[in-house]
Amino acid sequence: MQSLLRWSIENSTNPDPNAPPPEPRKDIDPGIIDMILGRPDAELMKEDMGVATDPSKTEDERVAALDHLEMLIEQIDNANDLAKLKLWEPLHALLTASTSTLEIKMQALWVIGTAVQNNPSAQDAYLALDPLPTLVSFLTPSHSSTLQTRSKTIYALSGLLKHNAPAVQQLTNPSINGWRHLRDALSDPEITVRRKTVFLLSTLLLPTAPAPSAPNAPIREPIHANSHVAHVSNPDRASTSTLVAPALQTHGVLKALVQAITSPLPHGEDGDMVEPDVAFEETGIRLFHTYLVLCGQQLDKEDAEVLRRWVKAEQERESGEKQLAERWALDLTELKELSAKLG
């Protein structure tokens, strides 16, 4: 140890305050630095988008790039950087590009849904591109809209619409006709799409409890430019219930749901499963409880009567209210409230 210390002293130089700063080494490979420290996420995101939008790359390469991009934007700061890096436009363009295969479109929808989920800043940045006409068009079953594509579309719509009243308002635009597309999705050939659609509708309908605050109270905390600044400056944007409740009635969504629950369409790979889907039925009943009890709305008389008779028949089939409540994941009080509202 003593010899090592002596060697270090003998081979060290006293710093000269007048000496020029040392020249940076030019013989270090930048690639080695990247391997040690890692490349910035922003650089990786731009690289991924470059590959994803390059038609000369294989489908596997482009899908892999989008998959990696989706992993990066799981971090909310990276999701917000999509706007700063001007990556929203090419990402959305992948949904309609002639060079995009179904796999690429599905992966792009996945990236979009992850980026906007619980992220008002990203929601606003994407909504500025007027994406809803394109998104809802994927809900129509066709040779260019597979089960996976429609499922990922619901995922993207869910992220964009939840707690986002400005986006929900756009669904009524005649050029979008979003409520009709969501209504028709309740009878999609694939039960997975039906489940996800009714769950989305139920979530959008659920009333949001306002945060307690004194009237005209000054804002004491500064509003920071973060992902949720939109909620801080406009808390009402998180409440979609008052927009959704009348829209469900006006656009025939409730009538379609009554039909879908009381006379369920077959489902399954070959359309050979005729028994009701438990998850779809349970979520649909929960939606009606929210609509009638929590939102204080009323069904059309004809729809209410159809649903009332069906509920009564199911209660007899289950041999009592308790069993039926358990089947629908309601407590007994909730079932009684629902039955009372149906008359």
Side-chain angles (χ1 to χ4, degrees), residues 55-298:
S56 68
K57 301 293 185 181
T58 66
E59 179 187 67
D60 287 345
E61 290 174 320
R62 297 173 71 184
V63 168
L66 287 169
D67 184 54
H68 185 253
L69 177 60
E70 194 272 338
M71 180 190 69
L72 290 173
I73 55 93
E74 286 178 352
Q75 299 184 31
I76 198 166
D77 289 338
N78 287 341
N80 290 334
D81 281 345
L82 287 172
K84 299 175 185 176
L85 300 173
K86 301 187 184 303
L87 298 182
W88 271 120
E89 290 84 351
L91 176 60
H92 179 67
L94 284 173
L95 300 180
T96 55
S98 59
T99 58
S100 293
T101 63
L102 287 176
E103 278 292 321
I104 292 171
K105 292 178 180 180
M106 183 181 71
Q107 203 70 27
L109 287 165
W110 193 6
V111 176
I112 291 167
T114 300
V116 297
Q117 191 173 42
N118 298 318
N119 188 340
S121 179
Q123 287 176 337
D124 289 347
Y126 186 46
L127 193 62
L129 301 181
D130 190 28
L132 283 170
T134 300
L135 292 179
V136 298
S137 68
F138 281 106
L139 292 179
T140 302
S142 67
H143 69 279
S144 60
S145 178
T146 63
L147 162 62
Q148 291 78 12
T149 305
R150 298 197 300 281
S151 293
K152 284 296 184 288
T153 298
I154 294 293
Y155 176 63
L157 283 171
S158 177
L160 183 60
L161 297 174
K162 283 183 182 178
H163 311 300
N164 190 1
V168 172
Q169 285 177 317
Q170 290 194 19
L171 292 176
T172 59
N173 190 318
S175 64
I176 298 173
N177 218 348
W179 291 113
R180 178 182 67 81
H181 286 283
L182 289 171
R183 179 197 68 202
D184 293 347
L186 292 172
S187 56
D188 190 277
E190 296 288 348
I191 192 62
T192 303
V193 177
R194 294 184 223 170
R195 290 186 196 132
K196 292 184 176 183
T197 301
V198 73
F199 183 80
L200 171 58
L201 293 171
S202 184
T203 302
L204 295 177
L205 179 64
L206 193 65
T208 303
S213 60
N216 303 319
I219 299 176
R220 301 186 182 278
E221 296 295 328
I223 297 177
H224 300 285
N226 57 28
S227 299
H228 290 76
V229 66
H231 281 330
V232 178
S233 60
N234 179 21
D236 290 341
R237 75 171 270 150
S239 177
T240 58
S241 181
T242 55
L243 296 171
V244 174
L248 294 180
Q249 185 71 268
T250 302
H251 298 279
V253 179
L254 295 173
K255 184 177 289 295
L257 184 56
V258 169
Q259 179 71 18
I261 290 177
T262 60
S263 301
L265 293 172
H267 57 93
E269 187 174 346
D270 299 317
D272 55 348
M273 299 182 68
V274 295
E275 66 274 9
D277 181 75
V278 175
F280 179 83
E281 183 180 281
E282 178 183 311
T283 308
I285 290 297
R286 174 60 67 180
L287 184 150
F288 281 121
H289 179 273
T290 300
Y291 181 80
L292 295 169
V293 179
L294 301 185
C295 297
Q297 302 292 316
Q298 291 184 333

Side-chain angles (χ1 to χ4, degrees), residues 5-45:
L5 178 60
R6 186 168 54 253
W7 180 90
S8 65
I9 294 174
E10 290 172 354
N11 288 274
S12 62
T13 58
N14 293 324
D16 182 358
N18 297 320
E23 290 288 331
R25 293 184 58 177
K26 298 181 179 180
D27 59 337
I28 299 179
D29 186 352
I32 296 177
I33 300 297
D34 288 340
M35 289 179 62
I36 297 173
L37 300 179
R39 294 165 61 194
D41 285 353
E43 185 178 325
L44 295 174
M45 290 165 64

